C-alpha cells in the first residue's frame, strides 16, 4: 500500500497515511467502500490506530468530473458512509455526474470504531429534569457512571472523538484520495466539521457548503436560550400553519388555548400513551421540535388531535441489547463545555428556558445536550469564536425556522466569519436547506459546479410544505443524522 504524507495540525508531527483499499459496498455494490488507517491521537501518530470507514460514489460522467466532494449528515452520530451510498437520492444529477461523492463515518460513529455503552446502564438513566437537589445529584452520578462505562466499552477513541480531530481525519481522506483540494458539504453537526476544517485546512478547500449551522462559540446560557427560542418559534409557525390550512384539524379553532389546556393536563399527569406511560409537558415540547425537522405540520396536528380526544397514541420503544452506540457522550461533550455545576444553577437555567419558550418548555435538544454532559470533565475541544483565515468563500445556509440548528446560530457563525462566508437564508421551515426550493437548489449547485456565489444576504422564499410531509420526507434515504442528540 502506498503512503502519502498528511500535513498535521500545527505543532504536531507529519503523518503518513495509506491509500484506501476500495471494494464494492455490501449494501450498494455500485458504490465503493473501504477503510483508512489513522491514529487515534494525532499527537501520537505512531500510537494506537483505528479504521475510518469511507465510501465513494464515483462521478457518473467522468468526462465532466470536477473533483471529490466529502459529505457528512451530522448527528453527532449520523453515518456519512450511508449518506454517501444513497447520495443520488439527495443531490441533483448534475452533482452526482460531476463529483466523486465521498462519505465517511466520523471516528466513534457507526463503522469507525463506534463509541458504545452498556444498554443496561443507559436504561437506568434518570430524568434530565430533576425536581430536587437529590435528583440532580442522581443525574450527575449516573452521567459519571455512564461515561466510565462508555470509555471502558469503547477504548481510547472515546477521549479522541472531538470534531477538531475529525477535521484532521477529513484532510487525511483528501490526501489518501490524492486530491490537492476537496469540496465539502456538511449539514447540521456536519457544519462544525466544515468550520473546523476551514479553520485548520482552509487552503485545501475548493468549495464548501455548511448547511444548517452550529455555533461553536456559545456558552451554556446562550446555547440553551437560543435553542429554546427556536423551539417556541416552531410552535408559533405550526399555529400559523393551522390558521391558514383548512386540512388542519384545528382550522378555525383557538389552537393556542387548546395547547395550553393540553400542557396543563400533562402537568397534572393526566396524559398517557397507549402503554400507560405518562406524557409530560416536556415530552409535548420535544415533539414540537421533532415535528419541525420536516416540518411535519399535518401529521403532528393529527397526533395532537388524537391526544385532545383522549385516543391512545404511540410510544417510542427503546432499542435493547448488550451494548448500544452512543457517540454523543464522546463527541458532543468533548466539543461543548456546557457544564452545570449545581442544582441552583440548573434551576436558574431551567427557569430561563421555560420563560423563553413557555409553549415547548424550552428545547428538548438544547436541554438534553446540556444535561447529557453534567458531571463530565471539561471538554477537550471547547467553544471558541470561528476564525477562518486561509479559505476561499464558503456558502453558509440556514432556514429561518429551524428547530435544531436555529437561525440565530447561523447569523452568529456568519458574523464571526463574514470575510469568508456568504450567507443565504431560506425563509421557510425545517432542518436542511439544500433542496428546499428551486432557488436553494440553484444556488447550491451553481456554487459547487462553477464557484458562482450569490450576493451575501440573499434570501430564498418559503415553500409551503406538502400536507403529508413527514419529519424527513425532504431527505429520502439519508440517515437520521441531523443535530438531534436523541438519535
Amino acid at each position: 500500500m502506498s503512503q502519502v504524507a498528511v500535513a498535521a495540525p500545527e505543532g504536531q508531527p507529519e503523518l503518513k497515511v495509506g491509500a484506501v483499499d476500495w471494494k464494492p459496498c455490501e449494501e450498494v455494490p455500485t458504490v465503493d467502500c473501504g477503510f483508512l488507517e489513522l491514529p487515534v491521537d494525532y499527537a501520537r501518530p505512531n500510537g494506537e490506530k483505528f479504521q475510518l470507514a469511507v465510501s465513494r460514489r464515483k462521478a457518473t460522467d467522468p468526462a465532466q468530473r470536477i473533483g471529490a466532494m466529502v459529505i457528512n449528515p451530522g448527528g453527532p452520530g449520523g453515518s456519512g458512509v450511508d449518506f454517501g451510498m444513497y447520495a443520488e437520492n439527495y443531490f441533483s444529477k448534475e452533482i452526482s455526474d460531476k463529483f466523486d461523492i465521498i462519505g465517511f463515518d466520523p471516528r466513534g460513529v457507526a463503522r469507525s470504531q463506534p463509541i458504545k455503552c452498556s444498554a443496561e446502564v443507559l436504561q437506568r438513566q434518570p430524568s434530565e429534569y430533576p425536581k430536587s437537589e437529590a435528583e440532580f445529584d442522581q443525574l450527575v452520578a449516573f452521567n459519571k457512571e455512564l461515561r466510565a462505562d462508555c470509555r471502558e466499552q469503547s477504548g481510547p477513541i472515546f477521549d479522541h472523538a472531538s470534531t477538531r480531530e475529525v477535521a484532521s481525519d477529513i484532510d487525511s481522506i483528501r490526501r489518501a484520495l490524492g486530491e490537492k483540494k476537496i469540496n465539502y458539504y456538511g449539514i447540521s453537526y456536519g457544519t462544525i466539521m466544515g468550520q473546523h476544517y476551514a479553520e485548520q485546512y482552509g487552503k485545501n478547500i475548493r468549495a464548501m457548503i455548511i448547511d444548517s449551522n452550529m455555533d461553536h462559540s456559545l456558552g451554556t446560557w446562550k446555547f440553551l436560550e437560543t435553542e429554546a427560542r427556536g423551539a417556541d418559534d416552531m410552535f408559533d409557525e405550526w399555529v400559523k400553519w393551522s390558521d391558514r390550512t383548512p386540512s388542519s384539524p384545528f382550522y378555525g379553532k383557538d389552537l393556542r388555548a387548546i395547547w395550553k389546556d393540553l400542557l396543563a393536563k400533562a402537568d397534572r399527569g393526566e396524559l398517557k400513551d397507549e402503554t400507560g406511560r405518562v406524557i409530560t409537558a416536556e415530552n409535548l415540547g420535544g415533539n414540537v421540535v421533532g415535528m419541525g425537522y420536516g416540518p411535519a405540520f399535518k401529521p403532528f396536528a393529527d397526533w395532537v388531535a388524537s391526544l385532545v380526544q383522549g385516543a391512545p397514541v404511540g410510544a417510542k420503544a427503546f432499542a435493547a441489547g448488550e451494548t448500544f452506540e452512543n457517540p454523543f457522550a464522546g463527541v458532543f461533550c468533548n466539543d461543548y463545555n456546557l457544564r452545570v455545576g449545581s442544582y441552583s444553577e440548573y434551576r436558574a437555567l431551567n427557569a430561563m428556558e421555560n420563560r423563553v419558550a413557555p409553549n415547548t418548555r424550552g428545547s428538548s435538544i438544547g436541554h438534553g445536550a446540556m444535561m447529557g454532559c453534567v458531571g463530565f470533565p471539561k471538554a477537550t475541544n471547547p467553544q471558541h469564536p470561528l476564525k477562518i483565515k486561509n479559505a476561499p468563500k464558503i456558502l453558509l445556509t440556514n432556514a429561518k425556522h429551524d428547530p435544531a440548528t436555529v437561525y440565530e446560530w447561523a447569523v452568529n457563525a456568519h458574523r464571526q466569519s463574514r470575510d469568508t462566508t456568504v450567507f443565504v437564508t431560506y425563509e421557510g421551515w425545517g432542518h436542511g436547506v439544500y433542496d428546499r426550493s428551486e432557488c436553494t437548489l440553484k444556488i447550491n449547485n451553481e456554487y459547487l459546479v462553477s464557484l458562482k456565489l450569490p450576493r451575501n444576504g440573499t434570501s430564498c422564499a418559503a415553500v409551503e410544505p406538502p400536507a403529508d410531509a413527514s419529519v424527513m420526507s425532504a431527505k429520502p434515504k439519508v440517515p437520521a443524522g441531523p443535530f438531534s442528540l436523541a438519535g
Side-chain angles (χ1 to χ4, degrees):
M1 186 181 283
S2 61
Q3 300 273 320
V4 289
V6 172
E10 202 173 321
Q12 294 183 12
E14 196 175 70
L15 170 75
K16 306 279 187 189
V17 296
V20 180
D21 184 15
W22 296 110
K23 291 181 171 63
C25 299
E26 196 176 322
E27 302 91 333
V28 186
T30 53
V31 177
D32 300 324
C33 280
F35 291 92
L36 190 57
E37 187 175 80
L38 295 173
V40 168
D41 181 357
Y42 275 92
R44 297 174 58 249
N46 299 318
E48 185 162 347
K49 304 289 198 297
F50 79 102
Q51 300 290 317
L52 184 83
V54 285
S55 63
R56 176 180 65 184
R57 188 185 185 283
K58 285 186 175 177
T60 49
D61 186 353
Q64 298 295 316
R65 182 185 180 276
I66 291 171
M69 180 168 71
V70 177
I71 60 173
N72 187 271
S79 167
V81 169
D82 288 354
F83 191 11
M85 284 195 288
Y86 301 104
E88 77 275 13
N89 295 322
Y90 186 91
F91 295 102
S92 301
K93 182 179 182 298
E94 183 181 21
I95 303 306
S96 294
D97 282 348
K98 291 180 166 67
F99 291 91
D100 291 349
I101 297 177
I102 311 294
F104 73 103
D105 289 347
R107 50 175 60 215
V109 172
R111 303 162 186 82
S112 297
Q113 202 161 322
I115 289 171
K116 293 185 175 183
C117 314
S118 301
E120 181 270 323
V121 176
L122 282 164
Q123 286 171 314
R124 286 191 275 110
Q125 180 177 346
S127 171
E128 291 184 334
Y129 294 88
K131 300 283 192 293
S132 65
E133 192 153 356
E135 287 187 10
F136 179 83
D137 292 343
Q138 186 187 358
L139 181 62
V140 170
F142 168 80
N143 279 356
K144 286 181 175 177
E145 180 192 2
L146 177 65
R147 183 177 183 275
D149 175 80
C150 300
R151 287 184 83 209
E152 186 181 345
Q153 302 289 343
S154 310
I157 201 84
F158 184 90
D159 292 330
H160 296 279
S162 82
T163 303
R164 181 176 174 80
E165 288 150 313
V166 172
S168 294
D169 293 342
I170 293 171
D171 207 58
S172 296
I173 293 171
R174 177 189 68 80
R175 293 298 294 265
L177 294 173
E179 299 286 336
K180 189 164 190 277
K181 292 179 185 287
I182 55 164
N183 305 277
Y184 179 83
Y185 171 84
I187 182 172
S188 195
Y189 212 79
T191 64
I192 285 202
M193 297 172 195
Q195 291 167 14
H196 274 64
Y197 190 79
E199 285 183 308
Q200 295 177 60
Y201 303 101
K203 65 181 177 15
N204 299 338
I205 296 168
R206 174 189 169 269
M208 175 176 283
I209 298 172
I210 41 179
D211 178 342
S212 307
N213 279 262
M214 301 291 294
D215 180 356
H216 195 226
S217 72
L218 300 176
T220 306
W221 187 278
K222 265 296 182 205
F223 181 92
L224 200 64
E225 181 186 12
T226 50
E227 282 287 78
R229 208 159 23 239
D232 219 60
D233 170 70
M234 186 50 69
F235 173 81
D236 288 342
E237 292 301 308
W238 176 60
V239 171
K240 290 177 195 171
W241 168 85
S242 183
D243 288 346
R244 68 175 180 263
T245 309
S247 65
S248 168
F250 301 107
Y251 182 68
K253 298 178 180 174
D254 187 350
L255 182 50
R256 289 183 182 279
I258 292 166
W259 183 258
K260 197 173 178 183
D261 288 346
L262 211 54
L263 287 174
K265 274 187 179 176
D267 283 334
R268 294 194 298 270
E270 295 169 12
L271 280 187
K272 294 184 179 167
D273 64 29
E274 59 191 7
T275 69
R277 191 175 60 181
V278 170
I279 298 172
T280 66
E282 288 82 11
N283 292 153
L284 290 175
N287 282 324
V288 171
V289 171
M291 167 272 292
Y293 275 67
F297 288 146
K298 177 69 164 61
F300 181 66
D302 292 341
W303 182 81
V304 172
S306 296
L307 266 185
V308 170
Q309 291 156 14
V313 295
K316 287 182 183 175
F318 185 84
E322 286 189 12
T323 59
F324 195 78
E325 287 188 26
N326 182 35
F328 169 82
V331 180
F332 186 86
C333 296
N334 268 333
D335 281 340
Y336 277 87
N337 205 38
L338 308 178
R339 303 296 188 261
V340 183
S342 66
Y343 179 61
S344 60
E345 185 185 354
Y346 166 76
R347 285 186 63 186
L349 286 160
N350 188 224
M352 176 271 288
E353 62 178 336
N354 286 330
R355 187 169 62 249
V356 169
N359 295 297
T360 56
R361 302 292 168 90
S363 163
S364 55
I365 297 176
H367 189 98
M370 175 179 76
M371 300 309 283
C373 303
V374 166
F376 274 43
K378 286 184 177 177
T380 58
N381 178 39
Q383 303 93 301
H384 66 273
L386 188 56
K387 290 178 182 169
I388 302 172
K389 291 176 183 172
N390 301 315
K393 292 287 186 184
I394 291 166
L395 179 58
L396 186 155
T397 65
N398 223 91
K400 196 70 167 281
H401 307 289
D402 185 328
T405 54
V406 296
Y407 188 67
E408 282 183 70
W409 288 2
V411 170
N412 204 27
H414 172 59
R415 185 184 57 76
Q416 295 165 50
S417 60
R418 58 164 56 99
D419 293 336
T420 50
T421 56
V422 172
F423 187 20
V424 172
T425 298
Y426 170 61
E427 297 288 342
W429 314 266
H431 188 56
V433 166
Y434 174 74
D435 58 354
R436 286 287 168 181
S437 70
E438 287 182 18
C439 172
T440 61
L441 203 55
K442 183 171 185 285
I443 286 171
N444 279 283
N445 289 348
E446 276 189 354
Y447 168 60
L448 285 174
V449 171
S450 65
L451 299 181
K452 179 186 172 188
L453 280 163
R455 183 180 49 80
N456 188 49
T458 293
S459 285
C460 287
V463 175
E464 193 73 18
D468 60 350
S470 66
V471 171
M472 290 300 284
S473 65
K475 307 281 171 268
K477 295 217 187 247
V478 173
F483 175 63
S484 59
L485 301 170

